Amino acid sequence: MLAVAYPIGIFIDEAADFLLDKVSKRIRNRRFSQYNLDPSNDNLTAFLLLQGTDNEFVRSYFNYIRMRIRVSRCAFINFALLIVAAIIFVTASGKASWVIMSFVVLVGTMLAGLALWSWYRFSDLFAKQVSRMYQAKQQNG
């Protein structure tokens, strides 16, 4: 089972990245603009900024935020898929009622919404920290 679960997780992560890419770019561009940075600047990436630092705390912090982005992004997709699977399961079991279906949709939507909200907040935090780090690097030469 583990041999199947890990690749499926990778596929879900890539699908979530693809589905949320435009929103992610808007978050990044908005945050960079707030810091008077050019969003089209190819040097404004966490990868390039972290190459120039030996600070292990900063590297770990960026990795921590990045991991939370990925987990919340995948949770959003997983909860959305879980709603569909639960509806199919309840319908197939023959015990479908509007109360059960409403509960499934409500709980699933709340969980998906919380995951999406978390992803948005973590993505914004990541862009903010990249912006701050880039400005600090520019000021320090």
Side-chain angles (χ1 to χ4, degrees):
M1 191 67 180
L2 192 58
V4 173
Y6 186 75
I8 289 173
I10 292 171
F11 300 150
I12 295 291
D13 185 38
E14 283 299 311
D17 188 32
F18 175 78
L19 290 172
L20 296 173
D21 185 55
K22 287 183 182 180
V23 179
S24 183
K25 286 179 180 169
R26 279 196 302 253
I27 293 168
R28 180 184 184 276
N29 292 346
R30 182 183 50 81
R31 184 55 79 173
F32 285 4
S33 295
Q34 286 176 347
Y35 280 84
N36 297 319
L37 300 173
D38 179 13
S40 65
N41 183 346
D42 292 337
N43 294 322
L44 268 172
T45 66
F47 179 76
L48 291 175
L49 289 171
L50 291 174
Q51 280 183 336
T53 185
D54 292 331
N55 189 329
E56 192 57 38
F57 173 77
V58 171
R59 288 176 183 265
S60 296
Y61 180 64
F62 272 88
N63 190 41
Y64 172 72
I65 297 171
R66 185 83 181 105
M67 189 60 63
R68 292 181 73 157
I69 289 170
R70 292 180 73 193
V71 168
S72 58
R73 181 176 67 197
C74 288
F76 166 65
I77 299 298
N78 286 335
F79 288 134
L81 292 173
L82 193 59
I83 293 169
V84 174
I87 289 171
I88 292 169
F89 177 77
V90 170
T91 302
S93 73
K95 299 185 189 224
S97 72
W98 72 270
V99 174
I100 293 173
M101 292 300 223
S102 298
F103 179 77
V104 165
V105 171
L106 179 66
V107 170
T109 302
M110 283 181 14
L111 290 172
L114 285 171
L116 186 62
W117 175 77
S118 297
W119 167 82
Y120 183 91
R121 299 269 307 188
F122 296 135
S123 295
D124 184 57
L125 176 62
F126 191 80
K128 182 169 89 173
Q129 299 300 27
V130 168
S131 301
R132 287 180 172 177
M133 189 172 174
Y134 186 78
Q135 278 190 330
K137 185 178 176 183
Q138 294 295 78
Q139 290 172 355
N140 294 334

